[in-house]
Amino acid sequence: MLRTALRGILAHKARQIMTVLAVCLGVAFASGALVFADSTAAAHRAAASKSFAGIAVTVTPKASPPRPAAHQEATALDDALARRLADVPGVAAVRPAADGTATMNAADGTPIRAEKTWANLGAAYVPGPDGKDARHPLAEGRAPRNSGELAVDRGTAAAGHLRLGEAVTLATDGPVMTKRLVGIVTTDDTRVTAGGTLALFDKATAQKLYASPGHYTGIDLSAAPGTSAPDLARRVTDVLPADRAEAVTGAAQADQQSVLVDTLTRGYAKLPLVFAGVSLFVGSFLVVNTFTMLVARRTREIALLRAIGASRRQVSRSVLLEALLVGLIASAAGFLLGLGVASVLPDVLSTGGDRLPRGPLVIGPAPVVAALGVGVGVTVLAAWLPSRRAARVAPIEALRTAEQPPSTARTRVRGAAGLVLLAVGAGWLVSLTGERDASEGNLRSAMFGCALFVVGLTVLAPLLAAPVIRLAGRLTGRFGVIGKLARENALRDPRRTAATAATLMVSTALVAGLAVIGHSTGQALDRQAAAGLGADYVISSRTPTAAIDPGAVRRVAEAPGVRTASAVTDSTLFVGGGVREISGVDPRTVSAVMKLDFVSGSGKDIGPGRIAVSATLAREQGVRTGGRIAARTGQSQRVERYTVVGVYQDNPVARDALGARSDVARDSLVPGSVQRILVRTDGGTVSEAAERRLRTAVGDSPLLMVRDRPQLVREAAGTLADLLNVVYGMLAIGVVIGALGIVNTLAMSVTERTREIGALRALGMDRAGVRRMIRVEAVTVAAFGTALGLAGGLFAAWAVGSLANGALEQYSLRLPWGTLLLICLLSLTAGALAATAPARRAAALSPLEAVAEA
């Protein structure tokens, strides 16, 4: 039976190539993603180790609650402690450090990579005995010497078009500063190389910004020869104030930094895994179809094996063995292709300043095992049903010259099973429409219902093929006799037609459903971003601790073209055992900048001790207008009783509650701070000039964002845009695999219909007519799969969309007509292109040789 399996593969190698390609795609994405993840992690570790090279131990302050830089308490790390550490046996050198964050503006005034505040670093340039800082080698210029000078890394200078001698605007966690750029350095810090920035100050300035004068945020120690880092850490710990400082080895810091950067960039490895899952899922249908057709074509061969003594188990094992060999070939090819995928992914994903580290490919056991397990597992599992069908072939089949149609009883059983699965899946999804709760449990339940629905549609597809294709016959009939022949060929074996269309059906259903949900959610986010906002501009901080200078509110209000500038202080509201958000506003101006829809009460009565709450918060706490609610805000430990003066419809701009700004700002992290300024312009003017005036009013701080209404809408839909790009990628994969399935089916169909095609040629059909007939048949099969997929995807999107409606009040089903049209065009085009090779082969048949073939 082993020899039989090998001969089966060699005899039908052209058919198996399509199977190998389909499985190969999935294996390539899966193994490539794993190799990419391991290689990127190793590159991060190598870069972090290089960054901490020469550092044996770092002394840091004990962890304490985060506070704004301007309000930092003095640490225990000072010059006196640095001198004591220098006397510890085994310490070769001591390097104090004052580190934090700093965000800079580019030469044109726009912030440089401001969205990555965690990676926008600020530090002290600490020269050694030779006058140079080994951690920050100078590439150009010189080191900063006073509070008016600055050095940056080479990548930041390039990204911001910064030149030596020019002024650079920046901010740490407070007012805007302007310094002259005097030096450009290189760095191996993985946070910077992953897309961040680096600003270097002289030591005194860095101490003032990130610690306090004369104090540091860390002290790095290098070890003398023969002293290990753990031993040195133990010695250093003995001289530290136990409650205020601790010692950490440089290796541990490198690992922590590597893990941090790796965690923040880990999402890059998930994208190829998504494509891998789609490829393997859709490709499994092609595997099933291929082996089903091979079993059907080899019915007489299998029957002869049975007649000469092969048992059913041996026949089944031969088919599974053939699948195993095909899976091994596909896994090996996919793994090699995956190495290519892993090598190009850093370049593909290093966009927008997010530069991934490069390094040698790391090939561990996991990608190899995954490639073999996934490739072989999917192929063998997909071939299991065809192997059972092969085992049922009776020896008497060897005497028949044509394939027997499935029995009526089996067709009825299949139809009943398909209807039951379809009904259960549809009922399951419909039952979720009343949930309006996008919880994880409901989402898993929706996925299970979608899977049942798609499986039911797949099982029922052979019974749906005849009515759907006959309905489409009105279009194919326009091609005359050729169109009728193509339609009848597609109807000749509904099971084969359905199996061929299954790949396109599943991929179309998946993509159409996700596209509809993504488009509807994006539209809802667009409406929600603008709903409740009466202002034309929103000025806000990029970080929770970076408050807006109260003086900026006055300057914004005095800017030309500004009608109203309303300051908002955002803080936390602790109520009923939960944490909510409260916005401190000026009752006199809030109605001009927020669109508040009050169910009861009014915002005019907001004042000290009086708040308005959202409808959701009122319902949860069981309060109404005129009632009282116990809560505390911000940093306050006092629980106060507030009078509810109004209840408004949920509003993303107003948050969960509205209070007087004097109350909220008193207990905020920075007393009296402002987190947002809502600006109403004269006549609702939104222009680049107006935005420029507002940026100037807030001092061009890179920590502040000035966004108009359209920008807020675009940002709200940014994640959805990424989702739609993934959807288009999955569509491309589904179309490619669907096209492979159509090629496979048509190639086999042409072989089986050799005499028939010869007869048509003998009766006068020319080569162009034969090619056209095969193409129309392919497009008919593709249209059938696309139609079922669209129907299934739209139904699932309608049912699952109700869950999103619970999370987004603005959600409603919106069809992306352009995307749906693109899906149809790509699927039909794929069908036509897939027919090219089989059509050419059919047209090349000689009429006499074809008719004479036995």
Side-chain angles (χ1 to χ4, degrees):
M1 299 310 293
L2 176 60
R3 289 195 296 270
T4 301
L6 290 173
R7 288 173 180 172
I9 293 176
L10 294 176
H12 306 93
K13 51 183 176 293
R15 313 284 186 270
Q16 300 289 12
I17 286 176
M18 305 302 170
T19 302
V20 169
L21 286 176
V23 178
C24 180
L25 281 176
V27 172
F29 282 120
S31 60
L34 294 174
V35 171
F36 165 73
D38 291 344
S39 302
T40 303
H44 282 148
R45 287 192 296 270
S49 298
K50 187 176 181 181
S51 178
F52 286 92
I55 299 177
V57 174
T58 295
V59 176
T60 60
K62 281 287 183 69
S64 59
R67 295 177 60 83
H71 296 77
Q72 291 285 355
E73 297 179 356
T75 68
L77 280 57
D78 54 15
D79 290 321
L81 178 62
R83 287 192 292 270
R84 289 201 304 272
L85 293 175
D87 295 333
V88 172
V91 172
V94 176
R95 182 189 182 278
D99 304 331
T101 60
T103 305
M104 291 173 278
N105 277 339
D108 61 0
T110 59
I112 305 174
R113 300 169 185 167
E115 70 283 354
K116 297 187 122 185
T117 53
W118 61 272
N120 293 334
L121 309 182
Y125 186 93
V126 182
D130 59 353
K132 299 179 181 179
D133 188 337
R135 294 188 63 179
H136 306 115
L138 280 166
E140 299 180 45
R142 60 174 176 80
R145 297 171 182 168
N146 55 59
S147 61
E149 297 179 343
L150 176 77
V152 301
D153 69 286
R154 192 192 297 273
T156 300
H161 304 287
L162 305 177
R163 298 181 180 179
L164 293 177
E166 294 182 344
V168 178
T169 303
L170 72 154
T172 54
D173 219 359
V176 177
M177 300 174 286
T178 301
K179 300 185 183 298
R180 188 166 64 91
L181 182 64
V182 297
I184 296 176
V185 304
T186 59
T187 180
D188 295 316
D189 194 305
T190 52
R191 292 167 294 180
V192 179
T193 57
T197 62
L198 174 64
L200 294 175
F201 310 92
D202 66 286
K203 187 173 72 171
T205 301
Q207 287 177 318
K208 182 178 179 181
L209 290 173
Y210 301 122
S212 59
H215 294 79
Y216 306 99
T217 59
I219 300 177
D220 298 330
L221 308 175
S222 59
T227 304
S228 67
D231 289 341
L232 185 59
R234 286 191 292 269
R235 297 175 192 172
V236 168
T237 301
D238 294 336
V239 302
L240 295 177
D243 58 336
R244 299 187 63 191
E246 59 185 346
V248 182
T249 64
Q253 287 191 96
D255 290 341
Q256 291 174 3
Q257 184 167 306
S258 174
V259 169
L260 170 65
V261 178
D262 186 48
T263 301
L264 293 169
T265 57
R266 189 175 297 163
Y268 292 126
K270 294 181 180 179
L271 187 63
L273 289 177
V274 171
F275 290 143
V278 173
S279 302
L280 293 168
F281 181 67
V282 179
S284 63
F285 287 87
L286 176 56
V287 178
V288 172
N289 193 25
T290 299
F291 278 92
T292 299
M293 289 189 295
L294 288 175
V295 168
R297 181 172 173 79
R298 292 156 55 188
T299 298
R300 295 184 67 189
E301 174 188 329
I302 295 172
L304 285 173
L305 290 174
R306 292 294 314 283
I308 61 176
S311 66
R312 291 190 173 189
R313 180 174 296 181
Q314 286 177 313
V315 171
S316 177
R317 286 178 177 175
S318 70
V319 175
L320 291 176
L321 183 58
E322 188 174 335
L324 174 64
L325 296 174
V326 170
L328 286 173
I329 296 172
S331 297
F335 182 75
L336 294 177
L337 182 60
L339 296 181
V341 171
S343 64
V344 301
L345 276 177
D347 293 327
V348 173
L349 299 176
S350 293
T351 58
D354 297 338
R355 300 184 301 277
L356 296 176
R358 297 301 301 263
L361 292 180
V362 176
I363 305 175
V368 178
V369 172
L372 290 174
V374 169
V376 174
V378 168
T379 309
V380 173
L381 285 176
W384 181 71
L385 282 177
S387 72
R388 287 175 56 85
R389 187 172 295 132
R392 289 196 299 266
V393 174
I396 193 65
E397 297 289 336
L399 302 178
R400 293 176 178 156
T401 58
E403 180 185 355
Q404 298 299 307
S407 65
T408 305
R410 187 177 299 171
T411 302
R412 289 175 179 172
V413 170
R414 182 187 185 107
L419 282 173
V420 169
L421 289 171
L422 192 67
V424 171
W428 193 291
L429 291 174
V430 170
S431 68
L432 294 173
T433 56
E435 292 291 334
R436 294 172 61 85
D437 179 13
S439 64
E440 185 176 349
N442 280 339
L443 290 176
R444 283 198 299 264
S445 183
M447 292 176 63
F448 180 72
C450 289
L452 282 179
F453 185 79
V454 170
V455 171
L457 201 61
T458 304
V459 175
L460 202 60
L463 300 180
L464 297 174
V468 173
I469 291 177
R470 285 197 176 97
L471 183 63
R474 297 180 181 180
L475 296 176
T476 58
R478 296 178 180 272
F479 292 91
V481 176
I482 290 175
K484 293 180 180 178
L485 287 173
R487 182 189 64 195
E488 294 304 317
N489 287 334
L491 291 172
R492 178 178 299 183
D493 190 343
R495 288 187 306 170
R496 180 181 296 181
T497 298
T500 304
T503 53
L504 280 177
M505 182 195 72
V506 173
S507 61
T508 300
L510 177 65
V511 172
L514 288 176
V516 170
I517 293 174
H519 180 74
S520 301
T521 305
Q523 293 291 313
L525 289 174
D526 290 353
R527 293 190 293 274
Q528 180 172 291
L533 180 64
D536 300 303
Y537 284 95
V538 176
I539 303 174
S540 58
S541 165
R542 297 184 186 275
T543 62
T545 57
I548 301 174
D549 179 11
V553 181
R554 175 181 50 79
R555 294 194 299 271
V556 169
E558 295 173 352
V562 173
R563 176 187 299 179
T564 305
S566 183
V568 180
T569 298
D570 295 317
S571 187
T572 49
L573 180 72
F574 301 90
V575 55
V579 181
R580 292 289 188 168
E581 293 179 291
I582 184 170
S583 297
V585 297
D586 183 349
R588 296 170 300 177
T589 59
V590 66
S591 60
V593 294
M594 292 186 187
K595 295 178 181 178
L596 297 170
D597 182 9
F598 276 89
V599 177
S600 61
S602 170
K604 296 179 181 178
D605 297 325
I606 295 174
R610 302 188 301 274
I611 65 174
V613 299
S614 67
T616 298
L617 183 58
R619 184 171 58 253
E620 290 178 352
Q621 301 301 319
V623 297
R624 60 184 64 182
T625 299
R628 294 176 69 82
I629 187 171
R632 63 183 180 89
T633 61
Q635 304 297 303
S636 174
Q637 300 301 315
R638 304 183 310 274
V639 176
E640 300 183 8
R641 296 187 64 82
Y642 293 92
T643 300
V644 177
V645 298
V647 177
Y648 54 87
Q649 294 288 356
D650 288 25
N651 188 313
V653 180
R655 312 286 170 88
D656 301 304
L658 287 173
R661 197 169 75 84
S662 57
D663 277 0
V664 178
R666 181 185 61 225
D667 299 322
S668 63
L669 187 62
V670 181
S673 64
V674 175
Q675 276 69 48
R676 289 183 288 165
I677 306 176
L678 305 184
V679 180
R680 186 83 175 267
T681 61
D682 293 331
T685 303
V686 174
S687 63
E688 290 185 7
E691 181 179 341
R692 182 66 260 172
R693 288 194 293 269
L694 293 177
R695 288 191 179 279
T696 301
V698 295
D700 283 325
S701 173
L703 293 179
L704 299 183
M705 299 178 288
V706 179
R707 295 169 295 175
D708 55 32
R709 192 189 306 262
Q711 287 174 317
L712 291 170
V713 170
R714 285 194 299 271
E715 289 180 11
T719 302
L720 269 300
D722 295 337
L723 172 62
L724 290 179
N725 290 333
V726 174
V727 167
Y728 295 142
M730 290 190 293
L731 172 61
I733 292 173
V735 166
V736 169
I737 296 178
L740 294 178
I742 293 174
V743 171
N744 221 13
T745 301
L746 290 179
M748 188 168 291
S749 178
V750 167
T751 302
E752 293 176 349
R753 289 151 48 192
T754 298
R755 297 186 65 188
E756 175 187 326
I757 294 172
L760 291 174
R761 293 278 286 114
L763 291 174
M765 182 179 288
D766 58 9
R767 296 180 186 272
V770 173
R771 287 195 295 268
R772 194 176 303 116
M773 179 183 67
I774 300 298
R775 289 197 187 98
V776 173
E777 181 182 348
V779 172
T780 300
V781 174
F784 171 62
T786 303
L788 286 188
L790 283 176
L794 292 178
F795 175 77
W798 167 77
V800 176
S802 63
L803 301 180
N805 187 253
L808 290 171
E809 291 292 336
Q810 305 286 339
Y811 183 91
S812 62
L813 190 69
R814 301 293 179 91
L815 298 182
W817 294 107
T819 302
L820 297 179
L821 179 61
L822 176 65
I823 292 172
C824 295
L825 290 177
L826 284 178
S827 297
L828 297 180
T829 302
L833 293 176
T836 301
R840 186 176 301 167
R841 179 182 175 189
L845 291 174
S846 169
L848 294 179
E849 292 179 0
V851 173
E853 185 177 297

